[in-house]
Amino acid sequence: MQFSELNLPQSILKSLQRMGFKELTPIQEATYPIILTGRDICALAETGSGKTSACAIPLIQIVDSNIKSIQGLVIVPTRELCIQYVDEIHKIALKTQVAVFAAYGGFDKSIQVTKLKHGVHILVATPGRLIDLIYDGVVDLTGIKCVILDEADRLLDDGFLEGIELILSCIRQEHQILMFSATMNEETKKLANDCLKNPKHISLINKQATPKSIEHYFAYVKRETKEKALFDYLRRERVNQAIIFCNARSMVDTLHRIVRKHFRDVEYIHAGLEQGKRSSIVRRFRAKKIRYLIATDVAGRGLDFSHISHIVNWNFPRGEQYTHRTGRVGRMGRKGRALSLITHHDIPAVREMLSATKIKPHWFGIDPLSQLSAPHRSSRRPPRG
Ligand code: ADP
Ligand code: MG
């Protein structure tokens, strides 16, 4: 279905045309009419499938720009995602009177307070800063019509749940809640249902939450040979841009020091960096000034970079995070490759991930899942490209 077939105001339609959006993506088509009826939804669709605009387009329509109050509230788990989300809404709402604003931690609060007092219709925020601003009496929730939880399962996990419940409990009037993610386990679904009222569950995930355009490679390595395996891989592949994920900030720091001795245009990002630096790194990565980005999971969810060709798991992630990390490539049908460097103690987690995601792995050398005792010799290499 084309956007021109929807009953969209010309102002929104023009912006979508300028952005090159013609056809609705499947999740946009599935959710758009339901969102406009005012019903709560919990929607699942693969990484890179256009969930941001699936929310943003109807949200801009729901908002009445003649009323000076926050009517749409989008909550996201990271500061970088907050900036990206607000940019996309801003582009779509450019020709409308709808004012959009991002409030996130690590950025001068007084500037955000001034802007909020000036009048904002759609606020995109991270939970911590939002709670701060609610306590300070700067964010008034009494006009809220629609709340969006993006990366909903992350927002409902231990780190954020209490904050989200607190925020939602501050909204007393009737309102609609929209939850979006690529992943949601049964436990989180129950938590989601507790927050939602008669929700419509929409899942476009049949077998896999990861796009088919991603090839998943694995290499079984020893600790001592891991560096060499990484360097060989990066040299052998035609890497446009890559993110190399580690599980801890200290590992990111260490690996950054090592990799930069062998490769050019290497940077790193984690939550220990000052926010100005974090934002600047994301901007430079988008502008292709950085080729290899070494990162924690702060870059593991939601971020949309169009030039990334490769994802490497230096450390194997836990739970659904494999889907999110690798989902930084293969967006909107583009091709992408993921390599996970596996050591012995990762085997149970790899097995679990493969069984949960139904991903078909390609092994370089030994497949430790089927060949635990007798190593086999075939050394598969992916074709160049
Ligand atoms: P998700 O949240 O599902 O991971 P995003 O919302 O980040 O995916 O969208 C991925 C990319 O697709 C973004 O660059 C976005 O601008 C683009 N996009 C979204 N909807 C459309 C569309 N209908 N047509 C073309 N591109 C789109
Ligand atoms: Mg998203």
Side-chain angles (χ1 to χ4, degrees):
M1 189 183 218
Q2 305 233 332
F3 283 106
S4 55
E5 295 170 59
L6 302 180
N7 204 4
L8 284 169
Q10 276 301 315
S11 52
I12 296 182
L13 207 51
K14 283 219 175 88
S15 300
L16 293 173
Q17 273 165 2
R18 208 180 24 250
M19 292 162 78
F21 291 17
K22 281 200 194 92
E23 297 257 335
L24 283 84
T25 66
I27 192 65
Q28 291 164 359
E29 197 166 327
T31 53
Y32 181 79
I34 302 166
I35 295 176
L36 287 186
T37 64
R39 192 162 168 194
D40 284 3
I41 63 174
C42 179
L44 300 179
E46 65 183 29
T47 51
S49 62
K51 295 189 284 295
T52 316
S53 289
C55 296
I57 298 167
L59 184 62
I60 295 164
Q61 286 183 273
I62 289 166
V63 165
D64 180 350
S65 57
N66 295 312
I67 304 172
K68 198 179 158 184
S69 70
I70 301 171
Q71 295 158 58
L73 177 65
V74 182
I75 310 176
V76 296
T78 67
R79 298 166 181 182
E80 286 68 28
L81 195 48
C82 194
I83 297 168
Q84 176 182 295
Y85 210 110
V86 90
D87 279 350
E88 183 137 334
I89 306 183
H90 188 70
K91 276 189 212 150
I92 302 168
L94 199 63
K95 302 277 177 202
T96 70
Q97 299 303 312
V98 174
V100 199
F101 185 62
Y104 50 89
F107 187 87
D108 190 341
K109 202 158 80 175
S110 62
I111 297 175
Q112 294 177 349
V113 170
T114 309
K115 177 71 193 183
L116 284 163
K117 285 190 175 149
H118 205 71
V120 166
H121 300 112
I122 299 176
L123 176 64
V124 186
T126 50
R129 180 53 59 97
L130 178 60
I131 291 168
D132 255 13
L133 293 166
I134 295 171
Y135 272 138
D136 292 351
V138 190
V139 165
D140 175 11
L141 299 173
T142 56
I144 300 275
K145 294 180 188 165
C146 181
V147 180
I148 291 165
L149 302 187
D150 190 41
E151 306 292 342
D153 56 332
R154 174 78 183 99
L155 292 175
L156 294 173
D157 80 15
D158 287 347
F160 287 118
L161 181 61
E162 223 176 296
I164 297 299
E165 285 175 337
L166 175 71
I167 296 162
L168 294 179
S169 72
C170 293
I171 310 173
R172 307 268 180 216
Q173 74 282 12
E174 276 288 305
H175 61 282
Q176 175 182 21
I177 303 180
L178 314 175
M179 294 194 185
F180 277 79
S181 189
T183 53
M184 194 166 283
N185 60 33
E186 290 307 314
E187 209 176 309
T188 319
K189 246 181 221 160
K190 282 194 202 115
L191 286 172
N193 274 328
D194 291 343
C195 302
L196 300 169
K197 204 172 62 200
N198 182 30
K200 172 89 178 158
H201 287 272
I202 298 166
S203 175
L204 300 190
I205 290 164
N206 299 324
K207 260 178 86 186
Q208 281 191 17
T210 71
K212 293 205 169 49
S213 54
I214 308 176
E215 292 174 287
H216 299 267
Y217 288 91
F218 295 79
Y220 186 46
V221 293
K222 292 205 178 83
R223 248 163 214 269
E224 315 82 81
T225 58
K226 210 167 165 181
E227 262 173 40
K228 185 175 180 317
L230 173 68
F231 295 167
D232 286 354
Y233 180 75
L234 294 179
R235 289 197 179 107
R236 172 164 101 218
E237 291 284 299
R238 199 169 292 156
V239 176
N240 199 12
Q241 277 187 302
I243 305 184
I244 302 162
F245 283 103
C246 304
N247 289 356
R249 293 178 196 182
S250 56
M251 190 67 242
V252 168
D253 293 335
T254 308
L255 191 62
H256 173 244
R257 278 195 295 272
I258 299 168
V259 175
R260 65 188 291 207
K261 286 187 195 145
H262 301 263
F263 293 85
R264 289 167 60 156
D265 306 324
V266 187
E267 263 297 354
Y268 70 103
I269 188 166
H270 58 57
L273 291 180
E274 181 253 313
Q275 187 53 39
K277 172 105 178 152
R278 275 168 66 170
S279 299
S280 132
I281 284 169
V282 170
R283 255 195 319 272
R284 285 170 52 224
F285 194 57
R286 275 226 161 88
K288 283 194 77 176
K289 302 257 162 46
I290 296 167
R291 189 167 212 188
Y292 306 98
L293 184 62
I294 305 179
T296 56
D297 278 317
V298 78
R301 269 202 191 234
L303 295 185
D304 184 60
F305 301 107
S306 43
H307 306 292
I308 307 188
S309 53
H310 291 74
I311 290 295
V312 178
N313 285 313
W314 173 263
N315 299 123
F316 197 71
R318 294 296 170 259
E320 71 299 323
Q321 203 53 28
Y322 181 87
T323 297
H324 292 282
R325 284 184 181 179
T326 55
R328 297 318 95 214
V329 291
R331 302 176 74 73
M332 283 280 150
R334 289 186 203 100
K335 290 212 173 306
R337 280 190 180 164
L339 170 70
S340 297
L341 297 167
I342 303 302
T343 53
H344 188 67
H345 81 275
D346 297 316
I347 290 175
V350 175
R351 206 188 288 279
E352 196 178 308
M353 182 282 290
L354 290 174
S355 135
T357 60
K358 313 281 183 277
I359 281 168
K360 194 172 147 284
H362 304 284
W363 288 93
F364 292 139
I366 298 168
D367 167 1
L369 304 188
S370 62
Q371 305 272 329
L372 266 178
S373 46
H376 81 170
R377 296 271 161 222
S378 92
S379 172
R380 283 187 52 190
R381 284 187 163 210
R384 279 182 167 271

